[in-house]
Amino acid sequence: MADETRVRLKNGGYAVLTLDDVAVAALRTAEDIAYDVLVTAGGRNLPALVLVRNALAGREPANTNAAETALHALGFDILVRRRFDKDTGQPVRLTREQIRDSAT
């Protein structure tokens, strides 16, 4: 497990994300069930994107995947909410085209 890692920012640059910064940010980050990618920190499930933004003092990660990848590199457990179709009750599955088109 690393003590620090780099995270890609929305402006195209990179920032250093440290384990200490994430630990402090976890204390002031609220749990929020509206997010689909959560990180387990301090016994709570926190939104990965918001946690990284708070740890970087407001600088914006490029996307949720960049935040998730950085937190994983620091040793955090990542939880991803699974979506289900309301009509069929089946898990939502993306087509290859949807996955390819969503990549940044």
Side-chain angles (χ1 to χ4, degrees):
M1 177 170 67
D3 289 334
E4 69 179 37
T5 190
R6 290 173 15 133
V7 61
R8 190 167 40 99
L9 299 176
K10 193 167 265 189
N11 68 8
Y14 286 85
V16 174
L17 182 68
T18 69
L19 189 56
D20 290 342
D21 290 339
V22 173
V24 170
L27 296 173
R28 64 178 193 270
T29 300
E31 290 184 88
D32 190 340
I33 61 169
Y35 288 85
D36 289 334
V37 179
L38 306 171
V39 60
T40 302
R44 299 183 305 143
N45 294 328
L46 305 173
L49 186 63
V50 176
L51 179 60
V52 171
R53 184 185 306 131
N54 289 344
L56 296 174
R59 288 179 290 169
E60 191 71 30
N63 53 35
T64 300
N65 186 59
E68 173 187 352
T69 302
L71 290 167
H72 179 72
L74 293 175
F76 289 95
D77 290 328
I78 306 296
L79 308 170
V80 180
R81 184 184 325 265
R82 182 75 148 140
R83 295 289 180 184
F84 289 84
D85 185 287
K86 291 181 182 181
D87 295 330
T88 67
Q90 295 296 310
V92 173
R93 291 182 176 85
L94 298 177
T95 65
R96 289 264 181 228
E97 185 176 295
Q98 288 171 312
I99 293 168
R100 186 179 56 247
D101 291 346
S102 68
T104 56

